[in-house]
Amino acid sequence: MKRGKKIWARTRLLVLAGLVAFTVPATGPWMAGNKAEAAPVFTHSGILYEQSDFDRAKTNIASGTSPWIEAWETGKQNKYASSTYNPSPVAAPARYGDSSKNVGNQQLFDDATAALTQAIIWKVSNNATEAAAAKAKADQILDAWSETVNKAVGGDENQLLAGLTAYKLAAAADIMRADSAWVNSGKLTAAKNMLRNYFYPPLKTFLANHQGKNNGTAYPYYYRGNQDQAAMVSIMAIGILCDDIAIYNEAVSAFKSGKFNGNINNYLKVSSDAMLAQSEESGRDQPHSQLGLGLLATMAQMSYVQKKGDASFEDLYEYSNRLILKGFEYTAKYNLGQSVPFAPVYTSTNNSWGRVESAVSTSGRSQIRPVYSMVWNHYKYVKGLADSAATDPVYYTRSMNAAIWPESVHTDHQPFSSLMYSRISRPANSLSHTVSFNVKETTSYITAPSGGTSPLLANATLSYFKSASNAEKFLVTYAGSGMWTLKSLANNLYVSVSSTTDPLKAKDASVIGNQNKFIFVDQGNGGIGIKSVQTGKFVQIKASTGQLLADESSITSSANDKFRLMYH
């Protein structure tokens, strides 16, 4: 049958956000010529996940199987997983380039991450009390925002605030469909209305006019691709949650052929190595490159879940000869310390903003985001691609995933990624990594003297962590129940602390007990707190001596108690 042009029924929705009237697509049938066809049917298993993902995680947690048990135990070591977490909703959330004007920005990022974290805990926990508490907490967070927000997300960076949070709120709400009491009380409808009425319109507007600013008239444009992709990923999620195929297709269209930097063909360009694709932001810095890649992959994951339920959907993982994978391989290879080809995107002659990026950026190199587990597991175990040799298509993505597993939490991305996407078991107690401990937001690193009697110090300065000597390297090994041991490569002795007044030292030849065990408490966005099991306190750097003491009751806003794990 020859198809005619597809036409969508539309309704008008007036949204008072700068007194602009938006055209919001309504759910409706496919129209082929004059004959209506049934619209694709959405799968509602959590937007990002299949039911089998929850089942696999729950079964393997119950049996204590690696790697799920480690991902589960470590993934709960952050505030978003706490049963005492409380939401902080605001009526008119807003984000600005001038952060002093922000309203509810951090609260919304935190609460969206917590809502999805708690929803996942409810689905996979084998402890009835824990599961019930998580269900109540996920409901509480979603309800708090649905009942409070009464104005479209605002500010001149609203695309980032709405875009990097709405997809997690939508995923959490989709998971909570399984809570019939919550649904029957109208709470799901309230969550849908909030996202559709107050999050979707500013995202749609941003993709159309980029805040009305000078964005240029040809590629490359002013706004970096990740800002488009933040809007795209949440538009897609809202379309799924609301069973609105027109909204969903807006996101797919932007992914494939949007007019700015965010569409995948503008954002990723295959390099002189046909296995690698450079990002539009590769010359900017590595965290933003990974952000953009992660958002594109998240859209692909959503599309894959939908295609599993209805074959008429397109699997975006496969789009343009698996261009997403080539982007991941490029960025993973570079952040693993290797060289990659680079072709400048921004030069002195092709833009009016003075933006010149003549080489792949070293800024933020190896500040790794939690985006690799989902992509590696998909292409390796779902699609069956090879990953064992450097010439294989998933080699560097696998190598990066192995280096940083389990992935941490970052409020731009999904929580529990290693838990939800891992597909094969591994030998128990085999989890160890060689790392350097960077003092977050500085160039300082923890160093261990070669002798075992001297305290560790936070006084090594490195321009790039790959230049670390053994004095700045530690073997961290999983010890069960969310705990880790730290062994200095300078003297092959384990780090130990006996009391709150005893500085950390690498002095024990073997693991004696709690004095050698530490918990990495994720602080979000790449930072961790190091908590001593022996003292029950967090490690902090004493400014007067540079020594490390495990004597702090809670993480503060200062930089002396937050660290980055830099994986060698």
Side-chain angles (χ1 to χ4, degrees), residues 417-454:
S417 53
S418 293
L419 173 71
M420 294 304 297
Y421 297 114
S422 291
R423 288 181 175 266
I424 63 163
S425 62
R426 60 188 294 167
N429 302 317
S430 65
L431 184 58
S432 63
H433 303 299
T434 299
V435 307
S436 291
F437 289 92
N438 168 241
V439 182
K440 192 180 178 189
E441 314 302 345
T442 75
T443 57
S444 296
Y445 287 77
I446 295 175
T447 185
S450 58
T453 59
S454 299

Side-chain angles (χ1 to χ4, degrees), residues 136-171:
K137 188 60 62 176
D139 289 347
Q140 178 194 7
I141 297 167
L142 290 168
D143 295 348
W145 283 90
S146 297
E147 294 166 2
T148 302
V149 176
N150 59 20
K151 187 175 181 180
V153 178
D156 57 17
E157 289 189 352
N158 58 2
Q159 72 278 7
L160 293 174
L161 178 54
L164 294 174
T165 59
Y167 79 93
K168 284 177 284 189
L169 292 170

Side-chain angles (χ1 to χ4, degrees), residues 204-213 215 223 259-260:
K204 179 181 176 70
T205 297
F206 178 78
L207 289 183
N209 68 14
H210 277 187
Q211 305 287 7
K213 295 181 179 178
N215 193 47
Y223 275 97
K259 60 183 178 180
F260 298 127

